Amino acid sequence: MKKTYSFKQKVFKKNVMSTAIIKAMVTATVMASAQVSAAGFQVNVQSASALGNANAGFAANTDNAAVIATNPAAAASFDKFAFSFGGAYVEPTVETTGDNAPLAGSYTALNQLIQDDFAVPTKSDYNVENSVNTSTIPSVYAVIPVSSKLAIGLAGYTNYGTNTEFPDNYAAGLLGGSTKLTTFNLNPSLAFKVGSKLRLGVGAQIVYGSAELERNLGDAAAGTALTTVLTAASTSPDPYTAADSYVSNPQIAGSLAGMARGETAFTLEGDDIGFGWNAGVLLDLNANHKIGVSYRSEVELTFEGDYSKRSDDGLTMNTGTGSLDLSLPAIAELGGFHRFGDVALQYGVVWTEWSSFEGLKGIASEDHSVLFEKGYNYEDNIRYSAGLSYYLGSKVILRAGYALDESAGDTTISIPDSERQWYTAGLTFNISKTLSIDLAAAYIVGEETSFEETDSNTGLTYAFTNKAEAIVGSAQMNLVF
């Protein structure tokens, strides 16, 4: 059954072709962080040692080279070559529960009219046990002292990434679908020692991202068919006969039976590179007391992608390119590390300028027309963290931490943002003077959130409740020589 719907009928408020292009690119560029690890679309698992303390004091703790992921100035505190590499494994669970069935009333009205038995959608049709797949997030860092006053830092880590997947026949398929996004941030930097206690650093951000997207019709075909049948019935002197004649059409009957739900609405593949800068200050008062401040600029992205989309008549898939300009918000961080005997207290405050993320505007490559424009109700948010480290002799460090991560803005099923709490623990093994190993684990739990989301393609408003949590495991090896 090829032709299952018409994009020109009343259910579609806009041209679904152009909306789908930009919605796909928006999702590809914006989605992030296995969906539950940080607010908005951030990632906060760049270091195993930092994760053990819930990233508290990350901008100030010079235990290993991974500190340059957040504060480039820290490289000037190393007098030997330092190298760290590792990764994190994120196993998220995002449970989506449907709180309404927007087509249920129309199906009930149709069944009463023609005395048929089409299955009436229920809230449970919108339930998904887990829409986010597991992910592995690598990282690598090197600090190269050039002189007693100058050091070079080179950091490679992931800022954004996701692997979300709703079932192909998911009822809200144009909101769900599947998204695979991989990003890598290459961050070279220079650090300078000013006097005995002050370090300054500056670096460049080079962010690469690639994405693969697919969205499915879901309710779209059924919604169009329902509108066609019920409109014909309401304008006919014989509503039963008018409706029955349409339902006798196997294409319309198939759409009403949900046979078209899993059909592809569009796919997209594309990549982009964006550039920015970062800077930091570290007060390295002594081995036991350090305070760091860092700033990361916005990164401007112009995301371009090749897409395939269903034509207006539903018979063929067309191809083209589109683009949108997107600014990733600026981030400022304060971190402190204070050791008293065998115990170290750490704290961190991270501010993200989410208010700069006002909206998205998509442009067609062919004729430069505006394809999609959407505002977001995002506000600046703050992440608070506190950590404790216990030095068990000279070989072992025990770590624990807690963080509260404020939500960035409104929740959607594709970006299930909510306030999150982090509970973390970790170990550091100092195997020798040149080699150490970090292990850490985190349990992240998001606040249960109820929300509504309107599909701009169909005009249907859905209600959902999301509950998100994640388990993170991380390991890291550190060398100094």
Side-chain angles (χ1 to χ4, degrees):
M1 184 172 60
K2 295 284 187 178
K3 185 177 179 179
T4 56
Y5 59 95
S6 169
F7 286 129
K8 293 181 178 179
Q9 292 175 335
K10 292 181 180 179
V11 160
F12 282 73
K13 307 299 183 183
K14 296 182 181 181
N15 183 302
V16 74
M17 294 159 51
S18 50
T19 305
I21 300 166
I22 300 307
K23 180 173 283 190
M25 286 183 285
V26 168
T27 307
T29 309
V30 171
M31 297 284 286
S33 83
Q35 301 300 316
V36 292
S37 64
F41 41 89
Q42 291 175 303
V43 168
N44 282 328
V45 288
Q46 289 87 13
S47 165
S49 56
L51 181 65
N53 296 119
N55 290 331
F58 193 12
N61 192 343
T62 57
D63 279 356
N64 54 65
V67 64
I68 64 174
T70 186
N71 190 351
S77 290
F78 290 81
D79 56 9
K80 295 181 180 179
F81 176 83
F83 179 73
S84 297
F85 67 95
Y89 175 79
V90 183
E91 186 169 338
T93 301
V94 180
E95 185 177 306
T96 301
T97 302
D99 292 337
N100 75 336
L103 292 180
S106 297
Y107 269 99
T108 299
L110 178 62
N111 284 338
Q112 292 174 344
L113 177 64
I114 63 174
Q115 298 180 351
D116 214 321
D117 57 354
F118 285 110
V120 178
T122 65
K123 295 187 294 184
S124 63
D125 291 329
Y126 302 90
N127 294 350
V128 177
E129 287 188 11
N130 190 16
S131 59
V132 184
N133 294 322
T134 59
S135 59
T136 302
I137 304 172
S139 58
V140 60
Y141 310 96
V143 174
I144 307 169
V146 176
S147 68
S148 61
K149 300 292 186 181
L150 176 66
I152 296 173
L154 185 61
Y157 51 91
T158 297
N159 265 334
Y160 307 99
T162 190
N163 190 352
T164 63
E165 186 173 12
F166 287 80
D168 287 346
N169 64 347
Y170 184 54
L174 288 173
L175 298 179
S178 64
T179 303
K180 295 180 181 179
L181 174 66
T182 302
T183 68
F184 187 76
N185 188 344
L186 181 63
N187 189 184
S189 60
L190 288 175
F192 308 89
K193 184 182 296 185
V194 180
S196 61
K197 303 183 186 303
L198 180 64
R199 287 87 169 97
L200 305 176
V202 63
Q205 299 185 77
I206 306 168
V207 181
Y208 170 79
S210 66
E212 298 178 24
L213 272 293
E214 181 177 330
R215 291 294 180 269
N216 304 303
L217 289 179
D219 286 334
T224 300
L226 283 165
T227 299
T228 300
V229 175
L230 294 175
T231 299
S234 67
T235 58
S236 172
D238 185 356
Y240 172 84
T241 300
D244 189 61
S245 66
Y246 274 100
V247 173
S248 297
N249 184 316
Q251 294 177 340
I252 290 181
S255 295
L256 293 173
M259 294 174 62
R261 272 188 179 182
E263 290 193 15
T264 300
F266 64 84
T267 60
L268 176 142
E269 292 186 22
D271 57 9
D272 187 34
I273 296 178
F275 301 91
W277 59 274
N278 66 324
V281 177
L282 178 66
L283 292 177
D284 197 343
L285 302 176
N286 55 49
N288 295 325
H289 298 282
K290 309 171 192 287
I291 299 174
V293 178
S294 64
Y295 178 84
R296 188 175 298 276
S297 75
E298 293 183 13
V299 174
E300 301 288 342
L301 296 173
T302 299
F303 199 90
E304 297 183 348
D306 298 322
Y307 64 86
S308 298
K309 57 174 175 54
R310 196 170 288 273
S311 62
D312 275 4
D313 61 12
L315 295 174
T316 60
M317 296 292 282
N318 298 323
T319 60
T321 60
S323 67
L324 66 85
D325 293 330
L326 177 67
S327 295
L328 302 180
I331 301 171
E333 181 168 354
L334 167 69
F337 173 88
H338 304 281
R339 181 175 175 178
F340 305 93
D342 294 331
V343 177
L345 304 177
Q346 293 146 258
Y347 52 86
V349 179
V350 179
W351 168 85
T352 304
E353 193 182 15
W354 285 112
S355 60
S356 66
F357 184 65
E358 295 178 353
L360 300 166
K361 186 176 183 179
I363 305 296
S365 300
E366 292 82 2
D367 58 8
H368 304 290
S369 61
V370 176
L371 298 174
F372 177 79
E373 189 168 6
K374 183 177 180 180
Y376 282 79
N377 186 28
Y378 273 25
E379 298 178 351
D380 299 350
N381 87 317
I382 297 179
R383 182 182 189 275
Y384 306 92
S385 57
L388 181 70
S389 297
Y390 181 75
Y391 292 77
L392 193 62
S394 61
K395 295 292 186 180
V396 178
I397 304 173
L398 306 179
R399 304 182 187 275
Y402 169 81
L404 176 64
D405 198 1
E406 296 178 342
S407 64
D410 293 339
T411 298
T412 65
I413 62 169
S414 58
I415 307 179
D417 192 25
S418 67
E419 185 174 271
R420 295 162 170 84
Q421 298 186 71
W422 293 52
Y423 304 91
T424 71
L427 289 168
T428 296
F429 297 95
N430 294 311
I431 297 173
S432 67
K433 291 183 178 180
T434 61
L435 175 63
S436 64
I437 301 292
D438 295 302
L439 301 174
Y443 174 60
I444 306 169
V445 56
E447 181 181 37
E448 186 174 288
T449 305
S450 296
F451 60 97
E452 290 186 347
E453 186 172 358
T454 299
D455 182 354
S456 60
N457 299 309
T458 63
L460 298 175
T461 297
Y462 299 85
F464 300 101
T465 296
N466 264 3
K467 185 177 181 181
E469 61 183 33
I471 296 174
V472 182
S474 184
Q476 182 174 297
M477 177 178 290
N478 310 295
L479 297 168
V480 179
F481 52 87

